[in-house]
Amino acid sequence: REALAAARNGLSARHERLRTSVQLGESGPLQRIHPPKPLPLIHHDLRGSDGEAERQELVQLVEALLHEPIDLRDAPLLRAHLIRSGADRQWLALLIHHIVADGWSLGVIERELSTLYTAALQGQPSPLPPLPIQYADFSRWQQARAQGAKAAADLAFWPRTLADLAPLDLPTDRPRPAVESFRGDHHILPIDAALTADLIQLARAESTTLYAVLLAAFCLLLRSYADADDIAVASGNANRDHPALEGLIGFFVDTWIVRVDLSGEPSARELLQRGRQAHLAAT
């Protein structure tokens, strides 16, 4: 427990974003960075139940933790729960608000927490080098960019690009509710190594990327369902185009909308180029 405490406190002290709260000021939301302090660890003991009952209790506990609200005004926006179960097993559940971390950040947290924990077990100091910048520096860059000429060009680009865009009428197996429930689902479709190699080869032959190939295929799939030639796809971007941002915890991800014109029965090569041009324009 002492090693775990040292690891999680070291992570919080290292990244200002983990100890940042969001206050509502006169001009809008404001970030407030708090000084480092020990991060509480909440304990849960599930020992005493048999295997299946214990598993169900663990699932129910984690689901309950996921539904607990997080007050943005109260830092840290990270909660740590240590769950003890049978056979001397322990689970660490970290719950963090999306406003201070994106998917990339989860990998940073996992790597650094593991490194700090291993060092603490061995009685060694943190081997992690100091961070060159913090999330607040990125925020200042964004504010400066919002005042520049590119921001004005972006504001002109998107209304023009998305003008008259209609939602796709996708068929469903049941009527959509009047109020969105957000109870979506996802399906994973593995692509084997041979097909992946063929797709990469196609992308290289057309001087484009694997992303453009997959985008074209996805647009064709949507057209077959919706019977529409005007397809717009939202695409996430890590938005970490500077090496110093790669090791930071924070919400950097940006969303682009790539609008592809499939009219005129384009060939596969033409469709790839249309998707590529739409993607380049969006970025």
Side-chain angles (χ1 to χ4, degrees):
R1 292 186 181 183
E2 293 179 358
L4 181 58
R8 67 181 189 275
N9 291 335
L11 188 70
S12 178
R14 178 174 168 80
H15 292 273
E16 290 181 353
R17 196 60 182 160
L18 293 181
R19 40 191 173 84
T20 298
S21 62
V22 180
Q23 312 285 339
L24 186 60
E26 294 182 358
S27 58
L30 299 174
Q31 301 180 85
R32 179 185 176 191
I33 301 173
H34 299 260
K37 65 177 181 179
L39 178 65
L41 182 64
I42 305 172
H43 296 268
H44 306 269
D45 195 340
L46 301 182
R47 292 174 298 176
S49 302
D50 58 29
E52 181 59 25
E54 180 186 279
R55 189 192 70 82
Q56 292 181 0
E57 289 182 13
L58 178 62
V59 171
Q60 291 173 359
L61 173 59
V62 172
E63 289 181 348
L65 295 177
L66 290 174
H67 286 85
E68 288 185 356
I70 297 179
D71 190 345
L72 297 181
R73 300 167 298 179
D74 186 16
L77 303 184
L78 169 69
R79 294 175 181 171
H81 296 261
L82 185 63
I83 306 171
R84 300 190 64 183
S85 60
D88 199 27
R89 288 177 297 189
Q90 300 187 70
W91 310 83
L92 178 63
L94 296 177
L95 292 91
I96 184 168
H97 199 284
H98 204 355
I99 201 172
V100 296
D102 53 18
W104 184 303
S105 300
L106 301 183
V108 176
I109 292 174
E110 181 179 358
R111 291 193 303 270
E112 294 197 356
L113 192 61
S114 177
T115 299
L116 293 170
Y117 181 67
T118 301
L121 285 176
Q122 299 172 351
Q124 300 294 325
S126 168
L128 298 175
L131 291 171
I133 62 173
Q134 291 285 348
Y135 189 85
D137 299 299
F138 172 77
S139 297
R140 284 190 285 269
W141 295 347
Q142 292 292 92
Q143 290 175 348
R145 179 181 177 181
Q147 305 301 322
K150 190 177 186 308
D154 289 343
L155 290 175
F157 170 81
W158 287 111
R160 180 176 68 252
T161 301
L162 302 180
D164 302 322
L165 179 62
L168 292 181
D169 185 16
L170 294 172
T172 60
D173 58 352
R174 61 180 64 88
R176 291 186 176 183
V179 179
E180 288 186 272
S181 65
F182 299 99
R183 292 195 299 269
D185 202 350
H186 68 280
H187 294 276
I188 299 176
L189 178 64
I191 300 178
D192 59 45
L195 179 55
T196 300
D198 290 341
L199 293 173
I200 293 175
Q201 183 178 0
L202 173 61
R204 290 174 177 171
E206 296 300 324
S207 300
T208 187
T209 63
L210 178 60
Y211 169 87
V213 174
L214 297 176
L215 173 65
F218 186 53
C219 288
L220 284 174
L221 176 66
L222 292 176
R223 185 177 72 167
S224 68
Y225 281 124
D227 191 24
D229 291 330
D230 187 8
I231 307 293
V233 178
S235 178
N237 169 40
N239 202 24
R240 296 176 185 247
D241 51 3
H242 192 286
L245 302 178
E246 295 181 0
L248 283 183
I249 296 173
F251 189 94
F252 295 89
V253 67
D254 195 6
T255 302
W256 296 330
I257 300 177
V258 183
R259 188 174 183 178
V260 183
D261 178 14
L262 281 76
S263 63
E265 297 297 330
S267 65
R269 178 175 287 106
E270 173 63 21
L271 180 56
L272 282 175
Q273 293 307 316
R274 290 187 189 184
R276 179 175 180 272
Q277 292 302 322
H279 180 251
L280 291 175
T283 58

